[in-house]
Each structure stands twice: as C-alpha cells, then as structure tokens.
Amino acid sequence: MQREQASPEVEARIRRSFEGQGLMAHLSARITHIVPGRVHFELSGRPEVTQQHNYFHAGATSAVADSAGGYAAFTLFPENTEVLTVEYKINLLAPAVGDCIEAVGTVLKSGRTLTVCHLEVFAVHDGRRKLVANGQQTLIRVKGPEQ
C-alpha cells in the first residue's frame, strides 16, 4: 500500500526543525524519507559513531531512533506545535555492523496530547538490511513558539 506524501509545508517544517538539532548535525545524521506518520533517518558509518568493537555505538543507534520517531509524530501535529520525547525503550537485537544504519519511526497511535511510535533500526551492508534494534516511544505535543 502506497502511503500519501507529506505536504510540502509539513516536509519544510520537519526539515527546518531538524536543522536545529545539534546532536543530529554532530552525528551527521540525515532524513531520507518523510511521509505522514513515518520518517527514515540514515547515519553513515565512521569511527566517531562506533564503539571499541567497531559496531555502531548504542548511543548513536538510540539517538537516531528517538529522532526518527519524534519526527514521525511531528508529521501529524498541527502548525504551531512541537514534539518532545516522554520516554522510549530500545532493544538492541544484534551488533550494528554495516556501511550505515537506517532508523525508521512509525506512528502507532497519534493522540491529542500523547503519541506512541514504533522504532526500528537496520544495519545496511552491501545493500542488505538487517534489523539490529527495535523499540517503542511516547511523545508529547506541546505548544510551539509564538509567531
């Protein structure tokens, strides 16, 4: 089933917000796909995001998963609102080894105040994806800055 595309306004709002994320810039993460209720992030492999065994570090894996879920929720929020993570849990299923990792946040339930997302992280090596982490997240919609 093909999901509708995010409107140009929603996509611009997501990208504007993402540009303000210091950690995502520091990690060199990037958004690769935006549709209503679903966002994909990619983080390329390099020594700065790995741990001592050359796997992607759990902190980097968790951070991109958290942000992917947050922006998935944000795609469904009205103008003049923002998103904050209330809690999330990540299960690390396998060492994240590959050229990059891809984090996918998918909205399970969008509410007036709280939204719940499913999080998945895949290691990508030679074009093949392997699920290396999954989790769940709760986010809160808060009032955005006054215009």
Side-chain angles (χ1 to χ4, degrees), residues 45-107:
R46 60 187 201 291
E48 296 82 4
V49 297
T50 61
Q51 43 85 294
Q52 71 275 16
H53 302 293
N54 294 318
Y55 305 143
F56 280 86
H57 193 283
T61 301
S62 298
V64 293
D66 174 45
S67 287
Y71 282 110
F74 198 42
T75 64
L76 302 178
F77 289 5
E79 281 291 322
N80 300 318
T81 60
E82 296 287 340
V83 62
L84 294 172
T85 300
V86 173
E87 65 83 30
Y88 72 100
K89 174 170 180 9
I90 292 285
N91 293 299
L92 302 168
L93 306 172
V97 179
D99 307 315
C100 68
I101 55 175
E102 179 187 15
V104 180
T106 306
V107 172

